[in-house]
Amino acid sequence: MIANYRYLQASLFSFCIHAAIFMYIYGTFDANTSKTLLISKPLQVELKFELPSKDLKKQIPILPNINTTPSKQVSEDIVYSKAEDEIKTPQNNALMESTIANLLSEESEIEINNEQQEISMYAQKIISTIENAWMKPRNIPEGLVANLRLKIRSSGRITSAELIKSSGNIRFDNSALQAVRRVETFYFFDSIPKMLYDKEFKVIAISFNPS
Amino acid sequence: MKKNLLLVTLLLFPIFIYGELFLEITKGSEDPYKVAMIPFEGNTGIAKQLNNIMRNDLIRTGEFSILDEELLLPVKIINDELVYNDWKLLGIDYLVTGTIVRANNSLDINYEIFDIHKKRKVRSSKVFGIPNQIRQLAHYTSDGIYESITGIKGIAATRLLYVNETKDSKLISTYKLMIADSDGANEKVLLSSSEPIISPSWSPDGKRAAYVSFENGMAQVFIQEIATRKRKLVLKKDTQISSPSWSPDGKYLSLTLYQDGNAEIYILRLRDQTLTRMTNQFAIDTESSWSPKGNKILFTSGRSGSPQIYELDLRKLNSKAKRISFEGTYNAKASYLPNEDGIIFVHRSSDGLFHIALKYKKENFIRILTEAKMDESPSVAPNGNMVIYGIKEENLSMLAGFSLSGAKFKLPASDGEVREPAWSNFLR
Amino acid sequence: MNKSINSFIALLTIFIFSACSSVQITEEAVADQSVAGVSIASKSTSTQAVLANAIVYFEYDQYNLTAKSIQALKGVSDLMKRNAKITISIEGHADERGTREYNLALGQRRAESVSNYLIANGINGNRLITKSYGEERPLSLGSNNSAWAKNRRVEIK
């Protein structure tokens, strides 16, 4: 009887150690940092839009849907971000989903990291293309910000540009729209993988902020 | 005595229609919309003139680059749809077409605007008029086109007041108060005098002008009805009165009175000639100008030791004038931008030269907008996008203007010198 | 009628020489202003000569009298004391730089300085009319320092 008990103890102890090793390998003890990914959030966003809440009383002809939304000041000229209304899942669920996904496959983490970099790269290209086409109007007050929502085909052709936040200065708003009109097509879009395009680049929001 | 009176009366009687101020565009804006205008069809006699006026109106704004007529393509319409690609290749942003419809008592213009990028028609409009109003009709149409594309109201259909001075062989001057279309065309004389005329000011409804005339031996303010040419002294007083400015509701005139021997600002209620004194201090207070909403006035005061711009809130009792210009030793003749987010004024820079400057309310620095030496008398267009002012080039005074986007133009006189421009409000 | 025309022509000649405004208007102004005493138009030639010489000049942007100007005004002061009925018109001017209305006010200031001096010297204010032409009646055409200096003045008539 004593021999059995000892054996039982040993097996239990052994089991604990093995479990610990097992769980260690699969990261249960690690703190929740970069491993818990936000699957459907835009990445290098300095500016986040809330969904437009009210319409401006004044309507600019030809340019529909001018809405005012509160927004933070941004230091860069143009900032890319994915339009909010494409995001359907709230943050918590995404977290849960991704944690479970991580436990199952470590490789997908590395893929997502690469994806972030890719998104960042294309976002940068979008920004510089528009910047090159943008002529900031003269004699406008400082601190103006205008935001546009762009709908883009997979070919890179911009099918619609909407002013979602007016700067309050018509010439400034016009210059933003003119810049987008001039660009017309982002030729590098055909090198964006379809899945990435579908997820991130179908509808984007751009902020023009010269200060 | 009777003989002299007759002479004076003749001189004061407005004479004939003049010619045109020649408008010279010296610079376009940097970021123009590229527009192709297909000459409007219909009634060939009038069409050419209408097309020219519209074309020039749009070029003048500086916001458009209008395609040369020789480069215009034939408009291709296939199955009711405009073929856009050809225009795209030319780099055109918008295409404008239209027709002129002449009937017995009417002259109307229909126009359509096509957005070449969006590949669709974005505006279809009609301007109603009568046959003897060709210029006006053309101006209204260009304003409609301008507003459709830029979202900014056009000023082609507005008018200017200004003073013309000519000298005869003995160097004796004749002064004329002139009115013209905003492009300098259609000049008419409102007043001709052997004594100086200064400070013309439009009533908000565009029907009357107030100005200072020295015809009675000293500065006095007259109001004149433009349509009838009838004029009268705004206030009968033995003291000098000058610097008139209309309130936006047309019921008041702010004035500078010298009755204490010192220039002070008063507000005159036109209906019953009640005078309310607004300033009362030792230094010069003059050049008052109303805010578009009618609750503030700007004026120039020397109370700090040199001319600076001050603002007075009219809604508050015993309101104190607030200084709003702090850069430099001479800031004067200020007026508000139509949306009151800034002021335009005359500024003397440290090299002693006078320029037209802009200061936004929210900023604490000024922007110098002109480069000559003795720029003066700025007047802002009612859309807030253009300013006309006086310059002196080679000892000759003339008018010049610019858009905030950087376009520039000049309006020299056909004879003599011109100065003191005043831009009307939008007219109906 | 004849006498009136004659004096009109005489004055016109004098005024053209000093590049002043048409006299008809001034005569009307006199009537409007109902000034007591001897009208401006009918001063003796010698009186007019004294007044024509008493041009007071000013510094840029300034309206205070200099020692030189006070000298010039002494003659006027004496003249007016000798001739108790004379009334004078003191006209202030400015050079072309700056805005027109501010220059009108500046010219008035300059006229007031002269007027105040004379009053301080015992001349009754009722005999003095001050007014300003701002930059509207330059003596010297030209956009240089010398022309401008000549235009910053007060003339007495």
Side-chain angles (χ1 to χ4, degrees):
Chain A
M1 230 24 217
I2 292 169
N4 276 348
Y5 180 63
R6 281 240 163 131
Y7 182 69
L8 206 60
Q9 247 185 346
S11 338
L12 194 65
F13 190 61
S14 165
F15 176 75
C16 287
I17 292 177
H18 280 93
I21 295 168
F22 188 84
M23 289 198 316
Y24 169 74
I25 292 172
Y26 287 96
T28 320
F29 294 124
D30 289 351
N32 276 353
T33 50
S34 56
K35 301 237 179 122
T36 54
L37 275 183
L38 311 168
I39 291 182
S40 56
K41 280 292 176 214
L43 302 169
Q44 59 176 54
V45 169
E46 260 89 325
L47 181 76
K48 267 228 187 111
F49 303 121
E50 282 128 46
L51 281 172
S53 51
K54 56 181 171 139
D55 292 341
L56 262 186
K57 283 168 203 157
K58 177 182 76 167
Q59 288 279 325
I60 296 177
I62 302 180
L63 314 166
N65 300 337
I66 301 150
N67 298 320
T68 46
T69 42
S71 73
K72 297 179 207 137
Q73 286 289 335
V74 192
S75 50
E76 295 165 22
D77 265 31
I78 297 174
V79 165
Y80 155 82
S81 79
K82 189 166 180 299
E84 274 296 307
D85 55 5
E86 294 298 291
I87 296 160
K88 300 199 171 76
T89 53
Q91 211 156 339
N92 290 336
N93 283 350
L95 230 89
M96 270 278 282
E97 267 181 283
S98 57
T99 317
I100 295 165
N102 273 332
L103 286 169
L104 293 173
S105 156
E106 192 180 62
E107 271 189 12
S108 66
E109 264 175 46
I110 301 166
E111 273 178 29
I112 288 166
N113 267 331
N114 288 339
E115 190 180 272
Q116 281 178 31
Q117 284 177 6
E118 255 199 300
I119 292 174
S120 162
M121 177 186 75
Y122 289 120
Q124 227 9 78
K125 276 194 173 175
I126 289 174
I127 290 174
S128 51
T129 310
I130 294 185
E131 261 180 355
N132 288 337
W134 184 36
M135 293 203 77
K136 185 178 123 183
R138 284 215 215 166
N139 293 320
I140 44 166
E142 292 186 333
L144 293 181
V145 182
N147 298 333
L148 306 187
R149 178 189 292 126
L150 268 53
K151 292 196 179 130
I152 316 173
R153 289 223 191 104
S154 56
S155 62
R157 177 161 164 82
I158 304 168
T159 57
S160 105
E162 235 179 84
L163 186 73
I164 53 179
K165 176 188 184 295
S166 165
S167 61
N169 182 297
I170 294 181
R171 288 194 302 126
F172 188 78
D173 293 346
N174 286 348
S175 74
L177 288 158
Q178 262 295 73
V180 170
R181 289 166 67 95
R182 262 193 219 107
V183 167
E184 224 186 270
T185 305
F186 296 108
Y187 291 105
F188 57 86
F189 257 52
D190 48 19
S191 54
I192 302 182
K194 180 150 188 358
M195 281 214 22
L196 196 62
Y197 159 76
D198 283 340
K199 215 165 55 163
E200 303 288 340
F201 295 104
K202 259 193 178 157
V203 181
I204 64 172
I206 308 253
S207 177
F208 288 76
N209 183 346
S211 40
Chain B
M1 212 51 198
K2 271 195 198 155
K3 188 172 164 186
N4 295 336
L5 204 60
L6 189 64
L7 210 65
V8 167
T9 318
L10 278 174
L11 285 171
L12 295 179
F13 197 76
I15 319 174
F16 30 77
I17 296 170
Y18 258 50
E20 295 202 3
L21 285 184
F22 170 66
L23 186 125
E24 193 188 308
I25 309 217
T26 52
K27 191 166 179 280
S29 88
E30 296 164 334
D31 186 16
Y33 289 98
K34 294 194 177 47
V35 174
M37 280 192 78
I38 309 286
F40 290 18
E41 285 170 8
N43 198 314
T44 40
I46 300 173
K48 193 148 199 250
Q49 188 186 10
L50 276 162
N51 282 316
N52 273 339
I53 296 170
M54 287 190 292
R55 199 186 164 81
N56 286 332
D57 281 346
L58 293 175
I59 293 174
R60 196 172 305 123
T61 65
E63 315 282 354
F64 293 174
S65 166
I66 310 274
L67 193 64
D68 278 343
E69 283 205 43
E70 307 104 55
L71 298 172
L72 285 174
L73 308 164
V75 180
K76 270 192 243 166
I77 306 218
I78 295 179
N79 297 332
D80 283 336
E81 274 281 303
L82 182 72
V83 175
Y84 291 91
N85 286 328
D86 294 343
W87 297 108
K88 206 71 176 274
L89 291 168
L90 282 176
I92 298 296
D93 292 318
Y94 294 93
L95 174 72
V96 180
T97 66
T99 51
I100 301 162
V101 181
R102 170 82 196 256
N104 273 332
N105 288 324
S106 68
L107 180 65
D108 305 332
I109 298 184
N110 297 308
Y111 66 90
E112 294 181 324
I113 304 178
F114 299 87
D115 184 327
I116 303 300
H117 292 276
K118 289 185 181 166
K119 294 201 170 137
R120 57 183 169 87
K121 188 195 299 190
V122 288
R123 178 64 117 226
S124 181
S125 218
K126 186 167 182 165
V127 184
F128 298 89
I130 53 177
N132 68 351
Q133 276 183 342
I134 295 176
R135 291 206 85 94
Q136 251 206 339
L137 203 59
H139 290 321
Y140 277 120
T141 310
S142 357
D143 283 344
I145 296 168
Y146 180 73
E147 187 175 351
S148 301
I149 294 176
T150 65
I152 303 169
K153 287 195 79 167
I155 42 82
T158 57
R159 297 168 96 183
L160 301 170
L161 281 169
Y162 48 91
V163 177
N164 165 257
E165 181 184 358
T166 48
K167 292 197 170 99
D168 65 10
S169 50
K170 296 199 183 94
L171 291 185
I172 297 198
S173 292
T174 302
Y175 304 87
K176 292 186 191 81
L177 177 66
M178 311 289 287
I179 185 173
D181 292 349
S182 68
D183 56 359
N186 215 7
E187 261 192 326
K188 289 192 174 68
V189 181
L190 282 180
L191 176 68
S192 181
S193 169
S194 54
E195 293 297 315
I197 302 168
I198 62 172
S199 305
S201 168
W202 282 94
S203 67
D205 62 8
K207 296 188 177 148
R208 288 166 295 171
Y211 51 88
V212 178
S213 164
F214 286 77
E215 66 200 65
N216 286 341
M218 60 180 184
Q220 298 241 280
V221 174
F222 287 81
I223 290 184
Q224 183 165 11
E225 258 176 63
I226 292 172
T228 63
R229 300 294 201 260
K230 277 199 242 170
R231 56 198 294 263
K232 58 169 193 205
L233 269 172
V234 87
L235 197 60
K236 285 197 176 67
K237 267 194 181 269
D238 288 342
T239 56
Q240 298 168 97
I241 307 178
S242 72
S243 193
S245 168
W246 296 79
S247 64
D249 62 6
K251 296 183 182 159
Y252 299 86
L253 211 55
S254 61
L255 299 163
T256 299
L257 265 71
Y258 292 78
Q259 52 192 13
D260 298 335
N262 185 35
E264 303 280 6
I265 297 182
Y266 290 72
I267 291 182
L268 175 72
R269 183 160 59 192
L270 292 168
R271 156 169 73 86
D272 57 5
Q273 306 237 303
T274 329
L275 261 183
T276 309
R277 184 173 185 150
M278 306 306 296
T279 61
N280 190 352
Q281 53 88 44
F282 179 66
I284 292 170
D285 293 307
T286 185
E287 294 179 337
S288 54
S289 171
W290 288 72
S291 67
K293 291 197 191 107
N295 52 9
K296 292 180 287 194
I297 50 169
L298 289 173
F299 64 98
T300 308
S301 176
R303 63 188 67 182
S304 70
S306 69
Q308 299 290 347
I309 316 287
Y310 288 74
E311 192 180 55
L312 196 60
D313 190 332
L314 298 174
R315 289 167 304 184
K316 299 184 188 149
L317 282 170
N318 299 324
S319 131
K320 231 186 142 216
K322 189 176 81 170
R323 179 171 167 179
I324 61 174
S325 67
F326 293 94
E327 229 176 288
T329 55
Y330 196 116
N331 294 296
K333 188 104 172 79
S335 48
Y336 288 97
L337 291 175
N339 55 6
E340 296 188 24
D341 64 349
I343 59 171
I344 295 275
F345 55 101
V346 176
H347 168 81
R348 183 175 67 194
S349 47
S350 48
D351 52 7
L353 303 179
F354 292 87
H355 305 288
I356 310 301
L358 159 67
K359 182 185 176 302
Y360 281 113
K361 193 169 177 167
K362 290 185 187 155
E363 296 173 348
N364 58 6
F365 60 92
I366 70 173
R367 298 157 189 260
I368 309 247
L369 302 176
T370 62
E371 308 122 2
K373 297 185 204 162
M374 283 186 299
D375 301 333
E376 57 171 29
S377 314
S379 177
V380 186
N383 67 1
N385 208 27
M386 288 197 121
V387 175
I388 193 167
Y389 63 104
I391 56 168
K392 200 156 184 177
E393 227 171 61
E394 285 163 32
N395 265 341
L396 205 67
S397 296
M398 63 179 83
L399 304 182
F402 56 88
S403 72
L404 288 185
S405 54
K408 292 188 210 278
F409 64 87
K410 278 196 203 143
L411 273 170
S414 44
D415 180 20
E417 304 187 274
V418 273
R419 51 182 183 244
E420 298 272 273
W423 211 315
S424 78
N425 216 341
F426 292 113
L427 303 169
R428 279 293 143 240
Chain C
M1 191 64 173
N2 273 333
K3 202 176 176 184
S4 176
I5 293 176
N6 278 338
S7 52
F8 162 65
I9 291 169
L11 284 157
L12 195 60
T13 320
I14 291 169
F15 278 87
I16 284 172
F17 275 129
S18 47
C20 279
S21 59
S22 328
V23 122
Q24 303 120 291
I25 311 295
T26 311
E27 280 190 319
E28 290 223 12
V30 169
D32 282 347
Q33 288 163 18
S34 51
V35 168
V38 175
S39 80
I40 297 164
S42 47
K43 290 189 178 67
S44 73
T45 334
S46 55
T47 307
Q48 285 167 34
V50 172
L51 297 178
N53 266 330
I55 301 186
V56 178
Y57 295 99
F58 296 84
E59 295 296 305
Y60 185 35
D61 280 352
Q62 304 299 321
Y63 52 84
N64 43 312
L65 298 176
T66 59
K68 216 172 165 190
S69 18
I70 291 175
Q71 270 308 109
L73 289 175
K74 278 216 161 79
V76 176
S77 177
D78 293 342
L79 174 77
M80 293 197 73
K81 282 179 179 155
R82 279 199 311 270
N83 239 312
K85 284 192 195 162
I86 291 180
T87 61
I88 55 173
S89 172
I90 303 169
E91 298 175 1
H93 300 260
D95 75 38
E96 63 176 349
R97 294 173 293 176
T99 59
R100 297 196 115 85
E101 284 284 353
Y102 200 82
N103 280 337
L104 189 66
L106 184 59
Q108 180 61 19
R109 274 278 151 129
R110 289 171 174 160
E112 293 288 327
S113 290
V114 169
S115 163
N116 290 336
Y117 170 81
L118 292 171
I119 289 171
N121 264 308
I123 313 291
N124 192 326
N126 289 342
R127 303 168 63 191
L128 312 171
I129 299 165
T130 56
K131 61 177 170 174
S132 169
Y133 277 94
E135 61 178 273
E136 307 308 316
R137 291 231 173 264
L139 254 186
S140 177
L141 303 171
S143 301
N144 51 61
N145 282 323
S146 133
W148 292 333
K150 292 202 189 100
N151 292 329
R152 295 191 297 270
R153 70 199 191 280
V154 160
E155 288 180 28
I156 303 177
K157 294 180 179 161

